[in-house]
Amino acid sequence: MMKKMLISIGLLAVLLTGCGKTDIVKTYEKSENAGITATYYEIDNGTWKCDGVTYQFRLELRGRMPNAESDSYYAVLTDNKNLTFEDVSKSLYGSLLEDSKIMEGSIIVEMR
């Protein structure tokens, strides 16, 4: 009986130790009104996470599409720090398969 009780207490201690620690610094909740297209997280080690995938960078890209009346904004989680506003725009609106390939391994998490 004592052995079962000690095992139970030990197991409970292990479970509770992991419950209080979180590595998430900030949560960005999906919101159509705010232009957030997917829930994602800023992690305390400087990385970003969305849908279980970790990314090294969060790029904020601004620019104006041809014939647009106003500027556009994209927040992109990626491991490719060289992505440009034009790259992301072409991936969304371009008709060539190559245009979409530049975004492989990246995700747009905000659009305005």
Side-chain angles (χ1 to χ4, degrees), residues 27-104:
T27 300
Y28 297 80
E29 291 286 337
K30 182 176 181 177
S31 166
E32 191 173 312
N33 291 338
I36 301 174
T37 59
T39 298
Y40 66 101
Y41 309 93
E42 180 180 2
I43 308 302
D44 64 0
N45 65 4
T47 61
W48 300 83
K49 191 175 272 192
C50 182
D51 295 331
V53 179
T54 301
Y55 301 90
Q56 293 299 311
F57 307 104
R58 178 181 179 269
L59 304 179
E60 294 187 6
L61 305 170
R62 290 177 172 78
R64 186 168 294 195
M65 297 287 297
N67 301 320
E69 291 183 7
S70 62
D71 288 347
S72 296
Y73 165 85
Y74 306 121
V76 180
L77 301 185
T78 185
D79 290 329
N80 178 0
K81 67 179 179 180
N82 297 316
L83 278 179
T84 66
F85 176 83
E86 290 75 19
D87 293 334
V88 176
S89 296
K90 281 182 183 179
S91 77
L92 292 171
Y93 306 113
S95 59
L96 301 175
L97 182 59
E98 294 81 35
D99 293 337
S100 64
K101 287 186 178 183
I102 190 76
M103 287 293 293
E104 286 182 0

XYZ file of all heavy atoms in Angstrom, residues 27-104:
628
model
N 0.805 35.097 -27.714
C -0.089 34.374 -28.614
C -0.808 35.371 -29.510
O -1.319 36.385 -29.043
C -1.130 33.569 -27.823
O -0.442 32.631 -26.995
C -2.093 32.831 -28.736
N -0.843 35.083 -30.801
C -1.585 35.876 -31.772
C -2.755 35.018 -32.232
O -2.577 34.054 -32.980
C -0.693 36.237 -32.964
C 0.482 37.106 -32.596
C 1.626 36.560 -32.031
C 0.440 38.479 -32.804
C 2.709 37.363 -31.682
C 1.521 39.289 -32.460
C 2.651 38.715 -31.907
O 3.718 39.512 -31.565
N -3.945 35.346 -31.770
C -5.143 34.561 -32.070
C -5.686 34.899 -33.452
O -5.729 36.070 -33.842
C -6.235 34.837 -31.037
C -5.940 34.314 -29.654
C -6.067 32.801 -29.549
O -6.775 32.186 -30.368
O -5.457 32.239 -28.636
N -6.112 33.871 -34.166
C -6.730 34.059 -35.469
C -7.901 35.020 -35.332
O -8.742 34.869 -34.446
C -7.203 32.711 -36.010
C -7.815 32.776 -37.384
C -8.176 31.389 -37.881
C -8.777 31.470 -39.269
N -9.058 30.129 -39.799
N -7.927 36.040 -36.202
C -8.967 37.048 -36.125
C -9.153 37.680 -37.499
O -8.229 38.317 -38.020
C -8.597 38.131 -35.106
O -9.421 39.262 -35.251
N -10.318 37.500 -38.068
C -10.593 38.087 -39.378
C -10.528 39.608 -39.308
O -9.994 40.252 -40.210
C -11.973 37.627 -39.855
C -12.243 37.964 -41.302
C -13.535 37.351 -41.801
O -13.748 36.154 -41.577
O -14.316 38.094 -42.410
N -11.046 40.186 -38.240
C -11.049 41.646 -38.092
C -9.641 42.222 -38.002
O -9.385 43.313 -38.501
C -11.851 42.066 -36.857
C -13.330 41.804 -37.019
O -13.832 41.698 -38.131
N -14.021 41.678 -35.914
N -8.732 41.518 -37.363
C -7.359 41.987 -37.203
C -6.454 41.562 -38.356
O -5.290 41.942 -38.400
C -6.783 41.485 -35.878
N -6.973 40.759 -39.274
C -6.182 40.301 -40.409
C -5.245 39.154 -40.074
O -4.344 38.839 -40.850
N -5.450 38.502 -38.931
C -4.611 37.365 -38.533
C -5.254 36.101 -39.104
O -6.362 35.746 -38.741
C -4.448 37.287 -37.003
C -3.808 38.574 -36.478
C -3.615 36.071 -36.609
C -3.736 38.681 -34.972
N -4.521 35.446 -40.008
C -5.093 34.322 -40.752
C -4.929 32.980 -40.057
O -5.585 32.015 -40.414
C -4.468 34.233 -42.149
O -3.054 34.056 -42.021
C -4.745 35.503 -42.956
N -4.025 32.905 -39.071
C -3.798 31.654 -38.337
C -3.291 31.999 -36.947
O -2.569 32.985 -36.768
C -2.771 30.788 -39.060
N -3.660 31.219 -35.944
C -3.130 31.414 -34.608
C -1.666 30.998 -34.605
O -1.309 29.938 -35.115
C -3.917 30.580 -33.580
O -5.285 31.031 -33.586
C -3.345 30.718 -32.184
N -0.821 31.879 -34.045
C 0.605 31.564 -33.975
C 1.196 32.127 -32.692
O 0.548 32.899 -31.984
C 1.356 32.054 -35.226
C 1.421 33.545 -35.421
C 2.576 34.251 -35.092
C 0.364 34.269 -35.956
C 2.664 35.614 -35.292
C 0.440 35.632 -36.155
C 1.595 36.303 -35.830
O 1.682 37.658 -36.022
N 2.435 31.716 -32.394
C 3.030 32.002 -31.096
C 4.465 32.507 -31.235
O 5.227 32.021 -32.060
C 3.062 30.728 -30.241
C 1.726 30.044 -30.171
C 1.392 29.037 -31.071
C 0.784 30.422 -29.228
C 0.157 28.416 -31.025
C -0.459 29.805 -29.174
C -0.765 28.806 -30.072
O -1.997 28.205 -30.027
N 4.801 33.475 -30.394
C 6.188 33.891 -30.235
C 6.763 33.061 -29.094
O 6.177 32.981 -28.015
C 6.267 35.371 -29.895
C 7.668 35.877 -29.714
C 7.739 37.354 -29.377
O 6.674 38.004 -29.248
O 8.862 37.847 -29.219
N 7.913 32.419 -29.324
C 8.534 31.533 -28.343
C 9.687 32.271 -27.661
O 10.337 33.118 -28.264
C 9.040 30.237 -29.035
C 7.912 29.594 -29.859
C 9.601 29.254 -28.025
C 6.669 29.233 -29.087
N 9.950 31.927 -26.410
C 10.955 32.645 -25.619
C 12.378 32.532 -26.142
O 13.239 33.320 -25.780
C 10.896 32.248 -24.139
C 11.241 30.791 -23.892
O 11.528 30.058 -24.849
O 11.202 30.372 -22.721
N 12.651 31.614 -27.049
C 13.993 31.496 -27.615
C 14.159 32.293 -28.907
O 15.157 32.172 -29.605
C 14.363 30.026 -27.843
C 13.495 29.345 -28.882
O 12.637 29.971 -29.511
N 13.696 28.061 -29.072
N 13.138 33.108 -29.248
C 13.215 33.959 -30.430
C 12.632 33.350 -31.689
O 12.627 33.985 -32.736
N 12.129 32.126 -31.609
C 11.506 31.503 -32.768
C 9.998 31.728 -32.722
O 9.472 32.315 -31.781
C 11.810 29.990 -32.833
O 11.279 29.358 -31.662
C 13.309 29.736 -32.943
N 9.331 31.245 -33.757
C 7.885 31.407 -33.900
C 7.281 30.052 -34.220
O 7.923 29.225 -34.863
C 7.585 32.389 -35.029
C 8.192 33.726 -34.761
C 9.487 34.095 -35.013
C 7.575 34.833 -34.145
N 9.688 35.386 -34.602
C 8.526 35.862 -34.059
C 6.294 35.074 -33.660
C 8.239 37.104 -33.514
C 6.009 36.313 -33.114
C 6.977 37.316 -33.048
N 6.035 29.825 -33.795
C 5.406 28.520 -34.011
C 3.978 28.710 -34.502
O 3.234 29.548 -34.004
C 5.403 27.720 -32.713
C 5.023 26.265 -32.894
C 5.158 25.482 -31.611
C 6.577 24.976 -31.526
N 6.770 23.981 -30.473
N 3.619 27.880 -35.504
C 2.257 27.864 -36.033
C 1.954 26.450 -36.488
O 2.767 25.843 -37.203
C 2.125 28.845 -37.194
S 0.461 28.931 -37.891
N 0.822 25.925 -36.093
C 0.393 24.573 -36.479
C 1.459 23.522 -36.194
O 1.684 22.609 -36.992
C -0.004 24.525 -37.960
C -1.230 25.368 -38.260
O -2.076 25.530 -37.359
O -1.356 25.852 -39.402
N 2.156 23.667 -35.081
C 3.153 22.684 -34.673
C 4.494 22.797 -35.373
O 5.397 22.012 -35.116
N 4.646 23.764 -36.276
C 5.899 23.958 -37.004
C 6.619 25.175 -36.421
O 6.003 26.205 -36.168
C 5.641 24.169 -38.514
C 6.948 24.407 -39.265
C 4.889 22.986 -39.094
N 7.928 25.053 -36.221
C 8.735 26.146 -35.693
C 9.466 26.840 -36.832
O 10.017 26.193 -37.724
C 9.758 25.617 -34.665
O 9.031 24.974 -33.604
C 10.599 26.729 -34.089
N 9.462 28.165 -36.797
C 10.102 28.996 -37.817
C 11.124 29.907 -37.143
O 10.921 30.354 -36.013
C 9.066 29.862 -38.536
C 7.977 29.063 -39.210
C 6.807 28.730 -38.531
C 8.118 28.644 -40.525
C 5.809 27.996 -39.146
C 7.118 27.913 -41.142
C 5.964 27.589 -40.443
O 4.979 26.864 -41.055
N 12.181 30.238 -37.848
C 13.243 31.082 -37.306
C 12.885 32.571 -37.326
O 13.335 33.320 -36.472
C 14.545 30.882 -38.103
C 15.130 29.503 -37.940
C 15.499 29.214 -36.500
O 16.152 30.011 -35.841
N 15.047 28.085 -35.993
N 12.083 32.995 -38.299
C 11.836 34.426 -38.488
C 10.358 34.739 -38.629
O 9.583 33.926 -39.129
C 12.543 34.935 -39.759
C 13.999 34.609 -39.819
C 14.467 33.587 -40.632
C 14.922 35.320 -39.059
C 15.809 33.273 -40.688
C 16.262 35.020 -39.111
C 16.713 33.999 -39.926
N 10.013 35.956 -38.228
C 8.704 36.554 -38.532
C 9.021 37.823 -39.299
O 9.595 38.768 -38.753
C 7.927 36.885 -37.268
C 6.581 37.554 -37.553
C 5.864 37.892 -36.244
N 4.608 38.551 -36.455
C 4.457 39.874 -36.524
N 5.499 40.673 -36.374
N 3.265 40.398 -36.721
N 8.684 37.829 -40.573
C 8.958 38.984 -41.424
C 7.705 39.836 -41.540
O 6.612 39.309 -41.761
C 9.387 38.528 -42.824
C 10.579 37.588 -42.918
C 10.843 37.227 -44.381
C 11.814 38.205 -42.283
N 7.863 41.142 -41.399
C 6.787 42.091 -41.645
C 7.103 42.778 -42.959
O 8.092 43.514 -43.064
C 6.687 43.098 -40.507
C 6.261 42.476 -39.202
C 6.009 43.503 -38.108
O 6.043 44.719 -38.381
O 5.765 43.074 -36.969
N 6.277 42.525 -43.961
C 6.538 43.011 -45.310
C 5.427 43.959 -45.735
O 4.245 43.637 -45.624
C 6.627 41.826 -46.280
C 7.637 40.742 -45.899
C 7.459 39.518 -46.776
C 9.045 41.285 -45.995
N 5.829 45.130 -46.222
C 4.866 46.138 -46.679
C 5.214 46.550 -48.103
O 6.379 46.599 -48.483
C 4.919 47.365 -45.785
C 4.377 47.128 -44.405
C 4.538 48.385 -43.535
N 3.861 48.244 -42.261
C 4.319 47.548 -41.228
N 5.464 46.930 -41.325
N 3.643 47.483 -40.101
N 4.169 46.881 -48.862
C 4.382 47.347 -50.220
C 3.056 47.592 -50.900
O 1.994 47.448 -50.301
N 3.144 47.965 -52.168
C 1.932 48.241 -52.933
C 1.910 47.373 -54.182
O 2.866 47.346 -54.941
C 1.863 49.713 -53.324
C 0.545 50.064 -53.998
C 0.350 51.526 -54.114
N 0.206 52.087 -52.791
C -0.264 53.301 -52.561
N -0.634 54.071 -53.560
N -0.357 53.758 -51.333
N 0.816 46.680 -54.343
C 0.610 45.850 -55.531
C 0.363 46.772 -56.728
O -0.165 47.878 -56.553
C -0.600 44.939 -55.340
C -0.472 43.945 -54.207
S 0.649 42.630 -54.585
C -0.194 41.890 -55.958
N 0.719 46.326 -57.942
C 0.429 47.142 -59.128
C -1.072 47.446 -59.212
O -1.912 46.588 -58.957
C 0.858 46.249 -60.293
C 1.836 45.291 -59.694
C 1.405 45.084 -58.278
N -1.377 48.673 -59.511
C -2.759 49.163 -59.674
C -3.559 49.178 -58.370
O -4.770 49.364 -58.402
C -3.520 48.355 -60.728
C -2.856 48.411 -62.079
O -2.359 49.459 -62.484
N -2.805 47.280 -62.760
N -2.923 48.980 -57.235
C -3.635 49.018 -55.953
C -3.756 50.467 -55.474
O -2.903 51.306 -55.759
C -2.899 48.201 -54.910
N -4.821 50.738 -54.735
C -5.041 52.083 -54.207
C -4.290 52.326 -52.914
O -4.034 53.466 -52.548
C -6.535 52.319 -53.980
C -7.330 52.399 -55.248
C -8.784 52.716 -54.989
O -9.152 53.004 -53.838
O -9.558 52.669 -55.955
N -3.954 51.251 -52.200
C -3.270 51.422 -50.914
C -2.229 50.322 -50.722
O -2.206 49.339 -51.456
C -4.278 51.406 -49.766
O -4.946 50.162 -49.723
N -1.397 50.514 -49.724
C -0.354 49.543 -49.412
C -0.952 48.287 -48.787
O -2.042 48.324 -48.210
C 0.662 50.134 -48.436
C 1.552 51.177 -49.090
O 1.560 51.270 -50.330
O 2.244 51.906 -48.363
N -0.213 47.195 -48.899
C -0.582 45.929 -48.276
C 0.480 45.556 -47.251
O 1.607 46.057 -47.295
C -0.674 44.812 -49.319
O -1.696 45.071 -50.241
N 0.108 44.665 -46.350
C 1.001 44.218 -45.278
C 0.863 42.709 -45.129
O -0.249 42.184 -45.149
C 0.607 44.904 -43.960
C 1.213 44.284 -42.729
C 2.486 44.641 -42.310
C 0.511 43.344 -41.978
C 3.048 44.075 -41.175
C 1.056 42.783 -40.847
C 2.321 43.144 -40.455
O 2.881 42.587 -39.324
N 2.002 42.025 -45.007
C 2.022 40.595 -44.730
C 2.949 40.343 -43.547
O 4.031 40.914 -43.479
C 2.575 39.774 -45.903
C 1.918 40.005 -47.232
C 2.666 40.456 -48.318
C 0.565 39.746 -47.425
C 2.074 40.643 -49.554
C -0.025 39.938 -48.662
C 0.737 40.393 -49.715
O 0.155 40.584 -50.940
N 2.532 39.479 -42.638
C 3.434 38.927 -41.629
C 3.617 37.465 -42.015
O 2.640 36.733 -42.195
C 2.855 39.051 -40.225
N 4.867 37.065 -42.183
C 5.182 35.731 -42.685
C 6.118 35.037 -41.704
O 7.124 35.614 -41.282
C 5.869 35.819 -44.071
C 6.199 34.433 -44.601
C 4.998 36.580 -45.059
N 5.781 33.803 -41.326
C 6.692 32.973 -40.541
C 7.478 32.137 -41.530
O 6.900 31.498 -42.423
C 5.916 32.081 -39.574
C 5.016 32.779 -38.570
C 4.418 31.768 -37.601
C 5.735 33.885 -37.823
N 8.811 32.129 -41.375
C 9.661 31.504 -42.373
C 11.043 31.200 -41.818
O 11.428 31.738 -40.777
C 9.785 32.422 -43.612
O 10.525 31.767 -44.624
C 10.449 33.742 -43.259
N 11.767 30.371 -42.519
C 13.188 30.164 -42.253
C 14.022 30.881 -43.311
O 15.247 30.866 -43.259
C 13.522 28.667 -42.252
C 12.921 27.961 -41.047
O 12.784 28.578 -39.984
O 12.571 26.775 -41.180
N 13.358 31.510 -44.277
C 14.013 32.227 -45.370
C 13.927 33.728 -45.101
O 12.934 34.368 -45.451
C 13.346 31.877 -46.705
C 13.940 32.610 -47.880
O 14.868 33.403 -47.742
N 13.394 32.351 -49.058
N 14.968 34.301 -44.517
C 14.934 35.723 -44.160
C 15.030 36.636 -45.380
O 14.911 37.850 -45.248
C 16.036 36.051 -43.161
C 17.431 35.942 -43.696
C 18.435 36.319 -42.636
C 19.857 36.173 -43.180
N 20.835 36.536 -42.181
N 15.213 36.069 -46.565
C 15.348 36.867 -47.782
C 14.043 37.048 -48.549
O 14.049 37.645 -49.624
C 16.402 36.236 -48.704
C 17.765 36.241 -48.060
O 18.190 37.230 -47.474
N 18.453 35.122 -48.130
N 12.924 36.541 -48.024
C 11.633 36.735 -48.694
C 11.332 38.228 -48.788
O 11.592 38.982 -47.857
C 10.511 36.061 -47.918
C 10.291 34.582 -48.122
C 9.146 34.092 -47.234
C 10.009 34.242 -49.559
N 10.747 38.628 -49.908
C 10.377 40.032 -50.096
C 8.863 40.163 -50.231
O 8.149 39.177 -50.438
C 11.031 40.591 -51.374
O 10.477 39.913 -52.518
C 12.553 40.433 -51.340
N 8.398 41.391 -50.172
C 6.987 41.672 -50.388
C 6.555 41.159 -51.763
O 5.500 40.552 -51.915
C 6.729 43.183 -50.279
C 5.315 43.562 -50.592
C 4.336 43.475 -49.616
C 4.958 43.993 -51.855
C 3.016 43.800 -49.904
C 3.654 44.326 -52.153
C 2.674 44.232 -51.175
N 7.387 41.377 -52.756
C 7.075 40.943 -54.116
C 6.972 39.415 -54.206
O 6.095 38.891 -54.892
C 8.129 41.474 -55.100
C 8.062 42.969 -55.321
C 8.627 43.809 -54.163
O 9.397 43.281 -53.328
O 8.262 44.990 -54.087
N 7.873 38.701 -53.517
C 7.819 37.237 -53.505
C 6.486 36.734 -52.965
O 5.843 35.860 -53.553
C 8.942 36.643 -52.643
C 10.329 36.862 -53.201
O 10.476 37.010 -54.430
O 11.276 36.880 -52.382
N 6.080 37.293 -51.834
C 4.840 36.852 -51.191
C 3.640 37.212 -52.063
O 2.739 36.393 -52.264
C 4.716 37.449 -49.771
C 3.380 37.074 -49.150
C 5.864 36.986 -48.894
N 3.644 38.411 -52.619
C 2.535 38.830 -53.488
C 2.416 37.927 -54.707
O 1.320 37.502 -55.070
C 2.737 40.281 -53.931
O 2.691 41.136 -52.827
N 3.537 37.622 -55.339
C 3.506 36.742 -56.510
C 3.010 35.349 -56.139
O 2.313 34.706 -56.919
C 4.893 36.636 -57.134
C 5.262 37.810 -57.985
C 6.634 37.574 -58.604
C 7.090 38.753 -59.415
N 8.429 38.531 -59.990
N 3.362 34.882 -54.947
C 2.896 33.551 -54.534
C 1.385 33.511 -54.387
O 0.758 32.476 -54.595
C 3.570 33.122 -53.227
O 2.987 33.766 -52.115
N 0.793 34.641 -54.043
C -0.657 34.703 -53.877
C -1.393 34.950 -55.190
O -2.453 34.381 -55.421
C -1.020 35.821 -52.895
C -0.609 35.616 -51.447
C -0.831 36.892 -50.654
C -1.384 34.468 -50.841
N -0.837 35.826 -56.017
C -1.573 36.290 -57.190
C -0.951 35.893 -58.523
O -1.567 36.079 -59.558
C -1.720 37.815 -57.132
C -2.343 38.268 -55.844
C -1.619 39.000 -54.917
C -3.659 37.938 -55.536
C -2.190 39.407 -53.722
C -4.236 38.336 -54.337
C -3.497 39.079 -53.448
O -4.063 39.473 -52.270
N 0.249 35.349 -58.495
C 0.915 34.962 -59.739
C 0.297 33.720 -60.347
O -0.300 32.890 -59.659
N 0.465 33.593 -61.648
C -0.124 32.447 -62.346
C 0.896 31.341 -62.629
O 0.524 30.275 -63.089
C -0.750 32.913 -63.664
O 0.239 33.525 -64.475
N 2.156 31.588 -62.335
C 3.197 30.597 -62.590
C 3.442 29.729 -61.365
O 3.422 30.222 -60.234
C 4.502 31.280 -63.006
C 4.440 32.155 -64.254
C 5.765 32.857 -64.463
C 4.067 31.320 -65.472
N 3.706 28.448 -61.582
C 3.993 27.515 -60.493
C 5.234 27.962 -59.711
O 5.289 27.835 -58.497
C 4.176 26.104 -61.042
C 4.432 25.005 -60.025
C 3.263 24.925 -59.035
C 4.622 23.673 -60.712
N 6.219 28.510 -60.405
C 7.447 28.966 -59.753
C 7.164 30.067 -58.719
O 7.872 30.204 -57.745
C 8.453 29.497 -60.787
C 8.994 28.447 -61.725
C 8.046 28.137 -62.880
O 7.339 29.044 -63.377
O 7.995 26.969 -63.285
N 6.117 30.865 -58.985
C 5.771 31.942 -58.060
C 5.377 31.399 -56.693
O 5.695 31.993 -55.664
C 4.619 32.788 -58.620
C 5.012 33.558 -59.864
O 6.227 33.805 -60.061
O 4.120 33.912 -60.648
N 4.697 30.267 -56.655
C 4.252 29.713 -55.377
C 5.364 28.950 -54.660
O 5.344 28.821 -53.436
C 3.041 28.804 -55.576
O 3.385 27.696 -56.368
N 6.360 28.469 -55.402
C 7.436 27.679 -54.791
C 8.300 28.483 -53.834
O 8.860 27.924 -52.899
C 8.309 27.039 -55.874
C 7.632 25.890 -56.567
C 8.564 25.207 -57.522
C 7.856 24.026 -58.169
N 8.745 23.299 -59.056
N 8.404 29.787 -54.025
C 9.243 30.620 -53.153
C 8.732 30.591 -51.706
O 9.492 30.767 -50.772
C 9.321 32.075 -53.680
C 10.369 32.879 -52.922
C 7.975 32.774 -53.555
C 11.772 32.598 -53.297
N 7.447 30.290 -51.533
C 6.846 30.292 -50.194
C 6.875 28.917 -49.526
O 6.394 28.775 -48.397
C 5.402 30.779 -50.264
C 5.259 32.257 -50.507
S 5.838 33.254 -49.121
C 4.629 32.821 -47.893
N 7.449 27.908 -50.159
C 7.516 26.589 -49.535
C 8.269 26.682 -48.209
O 9.327 27.286 -48.132
C 8.200 25.590 -50.470
C 7.320 25.166 -51.614
C 7.982 24.148 -52.520
O 9.138 23.753 -52.273
O 7.318 23.743 -53.484
